[in-house]
Amino acid sequence: MRKIILSILIMVSAMAGAQTTCNMGWTTTWGTSPEFTGQGDMPKSTLAGKTIREVIRPSIGGDTIRLRLSNFHSTEPVEIKQIYIAWSVDTVVKDAKTGRIITDNGSTPYIYKDHAAFLTFAGQLHVTIAAGANVTSDAIPFRVRPMRNLAITITYGGMVPEHATSHRGSRTTTYIAAEEAGPGDSLVVVEKTDHWYNILSLDVRSCRQAVAVLGNSITDGRGTTTNAQNRWTDMMATALAGKQGNCCGNHNVCENRPRHCADETAKCTSDQPAECGKGPKNGGIGPTDGVIEPEYGVINLGIGGNCVLEGGISDPLLKRYRDEMAFHSGIKKLIIFEGTNDIGTSKLSPDSLAERLADAYRQITDYARAKGIKVYVATITPTKGNAWFSKDHEKARQRINSWIRKTYRNTLIDFDKLVRDPKDPEKLRDEYSEDWLHLNAEGYRVMGEYVAGIIRR
């Protein structure tokens, strides 16, 4: 009898051990789509010799990182003198109309200098990225906390392209200083711009896998609040962690903030977290201020004005999807949510356009599935009230949505049904609309929480 009990205990112990092990690998915790930068989206003066500080929000955490930089869309090399990463000192962001606190995780030009780490490339601090190329840093130990802002500080050398590789729709402020600035130096900001330059993705060593989202400006965050990180993909990451993001003690907040909040007004007692004089709680080690790790990394590959087939802004989806999926690590699920710009600018018949979009979705789906990636496709949201709307455009939208519902019924994301007005299904609900094409922050919150439920299945 004792031998039987001992055998059972050994089996239970082995099973428990198996449940706690995983295949560690590289997973992208934050990523974006690289674009060619027109003159209107470049800084006012050259980046040569300047330092920029760019703020990102990772989705999943980890203790080892590598950073991928991009010069993919530039025709000249870019010289980087040094680059370091640090925890960002965040601030409260309030709604300009209502004064309501949106997040305590807004970007600032300040960092926790004691938690900064220099990145190297083949053991060197400097790197020159060839025209049309990307480069990945060496792996270094650095604690990334889920859904907490990081600052990436780049000092450029004398050789920079006339047109950088960037992501135009960062919805996050980049701070530019006139000269080199190390972690212990004050960053004297001479210019601000809401674009990311040269940063492509941040990977962590993790057991988690990633969800990538191919999309247009609705995914890129048009209609969100600058520096609030409230795109629908951000809301999905938050929902995948099972906890709403706010400043109720679940982030790197002041000691005098409540650990639990009964209402919105109790969430914060200070609009200046940096005044606490303390770094993030737990020193960045172990559990992160009550923030639960999301189940997946979330990679936003949306580009404002982008089309699936042709035209639009930046490379159309059919041209860019292979490269962008290759630029990021650990992708096991893919969401395709794009097509409204094709419809809104189309002169084709509704049937012809719907057929061409369906062929494009099939092509991307076949490519991803061949790599073992599960594919979800989202229906296209209404546009009545916006200049994109016409009777033929609406017919095309209805036709492609009908095809999506039939073809992807097991992996369907029905955004159309979620956000349309029940009384007028050709338009968005009033409370979700920014301009009758893009949604507002509330609409994106609803979308993100809805998708998280589907991804969990």
Side-chain angles (χ1 to χ4, degrees):
M1 187 64 176
R2 289 181 179 178
K3 289 183 178 180
I4 294 173
I5 293 173
L6 181 61
S7 298
I8 292 172
L9 290 173
I10 292 172
M11 289 175 62
V12 170
S13 176
M15 290 173 64
Q19 290 173 349
T20 58
T21 60
C22 72
N23 295 319
M24 292 284 286
W26 288 112
T27 300
T28 296
T29 182
W30 171 88
T32 192
S33 295
E35 300 179 81
F36 173 85
T37 311
Q39 198 58 47
D41 293 317
M42 290 293 294
K44 295 176 183 177
S45 60
T46 178
L47 286 170
K50 289 188 170 66
T51 295
I52 68 171
R53 181 162 292 161
E54 313 186 90
V55 178
I56 64 171
R57 177 178 294 184
S59 49
I60 58 174
D63 293 308
T64 305
I65 66 166
R66 64 183 187 186
L67 181 70
R68 192 169 290 110
L69 302 174
S70 183
N71 198 33
F72 189 72
H73 289 287
S74 301
T75 58
E76 304 160 280
V78 59
E79 180 187 4
I80 292 175
K81 191 174 180 181
Q82 67 177 24
I83 179 169
Y84 57 89
I85 189 168
W87 295 343
S88 174
V89 175
D90 304 329
T91 189
V92 168
V93 175
K94 294 183 178 181
D95 185 279
K97 295 179 181 178
T98 65
R100 178 182 178 273
I101 293 168
I102 298 172
T103 181
D104 73 326
N105 198 18
S107 76
T108 73
Y110 308 112
I111 62 170
Y112 291 104
K113 62 182 181 181
D114 293 337
H115 295 284
F118 282 91
L119 294 163
T120 59
F121 302 84
Q124 303 297 311
L125 288 175
H126 64 273
V127 64
T128 297
I129 312 173
N134 300 326
V135 67
T136 303
S137 74
D138 303 327
I140 64 166
F142 183 86
R143 175 60 176 164
V144 173
R145 301 170 306 144
M147 297 181 293
R148 298 311 304 160
N149 287 349
L150 295 173
I152 298 169
T153 306
I154 302 172
T155 298
Y156 290 93
M159 183 168 50
V160 296
E162 180 182 0
H163 298 281
T165 295
S166 73
H167 184 81
R168 296 171 300 107
S170 65
R171 271 81 195 179
T172 306
T173 301
T174 290
Y175 306 92
I176 304 175
E179 56 190 18
E180 182 176 328
D185 300 325
S186 296
L187 191 75
V188 181
V189 177
V190 297
E191 186 180 348
K192 299 178 184 179
T193 181
D194 294 336
H195 313 299
W196 286 312
Y197 298 106
N198 295 116
I199 54 175
L200 180 58
S201 64
L202 181 70
D203 290 352
V204 294
R205 293 281 295 172
S206 176
C207 297
R208 308 284 189 186
Q209 297 170 332
V211 181
V213 184
L214 294 168
N216 49 41
S217 56
I218 298 175
T219 296
D220 202 20
R222 175 73 178 271
T224 60
T225 309
T226 298
N227 293 321
Q229 314 288 352
N230 54 352
R231 311 164 192 85
W232 74 259
T233 51
D234 298 316
M235 298 298 98
M236 176 174 71
T238 299
L240 284 169
K243 195 168 205 177
Q244 289 299 309
N246 56 39
C247 51
C248 179
N250 63 337
H251 297 324
N252 59 331
V253 295
C254 303
E255 292 290 346
N256 62 344
R257 291 189 186 174
R259 293 297 295 176
H260 301 284
C261 308
D263 53 48
E264 187 69 33
T265 59
K267 283 183 179 177
C268 295
T269 58
S270 169
D271 284 353
Q272 301 294 330
E275 292 179 356
C276 299
K278 299 178 181 179
K281 288 187 178 183
N282 301 323
I285 305 299
T288 313
D289 305 334
V291 175
I292 303 170
E293 180 102 351
E295 298 170 41
Y296 293 90
V298 177
I299 309 168
N300 186 323
L301 302 179
I303 294 179
N306 199 237
C307 287
V308 175
L309 303 171
E310 58 199 5
I313 298 176
S314 296
D315 289 339
L317 185 60
L318 278 180
K319 183 178 179 181
R320 69 183 175 97
Y321 76 89
R322 291 183 184 88
D323 286 333
E324 295 196 10
M325 290 174 67
F327 292 162
H328 303 89
S329 305
I331 298 173
K332 296 305 288 184
K333 296 190 177 186
L334 175 69
I335 298 171
I336 305 170
F337 176 39
E338 189 160 350
T340 193
N341 292 326
D342 297 80
I343 294 171
T345 59
S346 177
K347 296 181 180 179
L348 298 174
S349 70
D351 287 341
S352 294
L353 178 57
E355 184 176 342
R356 290 191 64 192
L357 285 172
D359 286 343
Y361 296 151
R362 274 192 291 258
Q363 178 180 321
I364 299 170
T365 297
D366 290 346
Y367 177 83
R369 285 176 176 169
K371 294 182 174 297
I373 298 170
K374 187 173 184 177
V375 179
Y376 301 77
V377 177
T379 52
I380 298 169
T381 48
T383 62
K384 186 177 180 180
N386 188 274
W388 257 201
F389 183 83
S390 74
K391 290 183 178 180
D392 276 351
H393 292 167
E394 179 62 15
K395 287 178 183 177
R397 190 181 74 88
Q398 295 293 350
R399 281 167 172 69
I400 191 61
N401 279 352
S402 177
W403 179 86
I404 290 170
R405 290 184 177 106
K406 291 176 183 177
T407 306
Y408 295 90
R409 55 184 174 271
N410 294 325
T411 54
L412 173 67
I413 296 173
D414 203 341
F415 279 148
D416 172 42
K417 184 178 179 180
L418 178 73
V419 301
R420 69 191 182 198
D421 187 336
K423 297 179 180 178
D424 189 352
E426 295 179 351
K427 66 181 292 190
L428 294 168
R429 288 177 177 265
D430 289 358
E431 63 268 31
Y432 297 160
S433 172
E434 175 72 12
D435 57 10
W436 304 111
L437 170 63
H438 303 93
L439 288 83
N440 58 24
E442 177 62 14
Y444 290 137
R445 180 192 64 79
V446 170
M447 289 171 64
E449 292 177 0
Y450 162 72
V451 177
I454 293 172
I455 293 297
R456 282 198 185 101
R457 294 176 190 168

